Amino acid sequence: MLEQVAEGVRVHRSELLENNTVVVHGRDGVLVVDAGITGAEMSCLAGDLRELGRPVVAGFSTHPDWDHVLWHAELGEAPRHGTARCAASLREVLSEPDWKARVAEGLPPEIAEDTPLALYGLVTGLPAGTTRLPWDGPEVRIIEHTAHAPGHAALLIEERRVLVAGDMLSDVFVPMFDDTGDPVEGYLAGLAALEGVADDVDVLVPGHGSVARGEEVRARMALDRAYVEDLRDGRGCGDPRVVSPKPGWEWAGAIHEGQVRRLAGRDA
């Protein structure tokens, strides 16, 4: 189930939402980024890693959305990292006595019964301002920004020239804004941070959708920027993810429509 996208970097894509789980090979084991969304998929991932003889030695969640903070017992008890803000957001969720019921209500019905919540959100925040992932493997730069969700971070696997972008730069989802602060300017700042490392990237793995390579990396960045700037400036949307979506993804256009309404409400 793992596709190699660069030396020592493999990806698994979930069936339902095309979530990408990234596995990075280190000296004594692997780093697992955004572990997956169903118990069956995560169990299969754990089995594949056992066959490779590669234990999980570290985990990372790019941001605190439900589909990026799941875990499975078969993946072991390695430390699971996130930014300080990501971990704080998850602690707030887990502090509510009915958190599990609230999370369960938001799960897609197709996978609700096969989404394990026992280890949900157990992410340890790295010290604020941390820019390097603490693990015994290739250097991984943490690029934290304010786009999409609190404490969102991309990971640049420098030696492999791979950017793990979290929920940005997708070919199936348009940019999705955080509801706090100035969502548009926050998103543009996040894009600028990713654009700043584009010269160091050959392979881009978004949180959802297909992997981009070569010139397509900058094309994805330009597409996200055009979408956000058009929305900010009140221009009509010609984004292919809205006007000619991938078959089966027509429903994602509602995200765009909702954002147009929310931004109009803010400006009213």
Side-chain angles (χ1 to χ4, degrees), residues 64-145:
D65 286 355
W66 72 267
D67 53 329
H68 296 263
V69 298
L70 295 163
W71 197 256
H72 196 285
E74 290 186 38
L75 293 170
E77 299 180 354
R80 297 162 56 190
H81 302 294
T83 65
R85 288 188 67 195
C86 173
S89 178
L90 290 166
R91 284 196 302 273
E92 185 175 344
V93 170
L94 295 174
S95 69
E96 298 293 333
D98 61 344
W99 72 266
K100 189 172 289 187
R102 290 190 180 188
V103 171
E105 286 176 3
L107 297 176
E110 301 94 324
I111 63 169
E113 293 185 1
D114 190 27
T115 300
L117 298 180
L119 301 174
Y120 178 92
L122 301 181
V123 170
T124 299
L126 296 169
T130 299
T131 59
R132 299 283 167 174
L133 187 67
W135 86 299
D136 192 11
E139 285 284 329
V140 177
R141 190 194 313 178
I142 300 171
I143 304 171
E144 184 176 354
H145 52 74

Side-chain angles (χ1 to χ4, degrees), residues 172-242:
V172 291
F173 281 129
V174 295
M176 296 175 284
F177 302 143
D178 182 21
D179 288 332
T180 61
D182 187 330
V184 171
E185 291 309 315
Y187 208 99
L188 290 173
L191 274 175
L194 301 188
E195 291 164 342
V197 300
D199 287 344
D200 302 319
V201 176
D202 293 329
V203 178
L204 159 71
V205 185
H208 302 262
S210 64
V211 173
R213 295 174 173 83
E215 294 181 1
E216 191 182 356
V217 173
R218 285 190 178 275
R220 293 274 185 96
M221 295 179 178
L223 185 63
D224 269 18
R225 177 168 288 279
Y227 173 86
V228 177
E229 291 179 349
D230 283 349
L231 208 58
R232 178 194 64 189
D233 298 338
R235 292 189 288 267
C237 179
D239 193 293
R241 295 166 291 189
V242 175

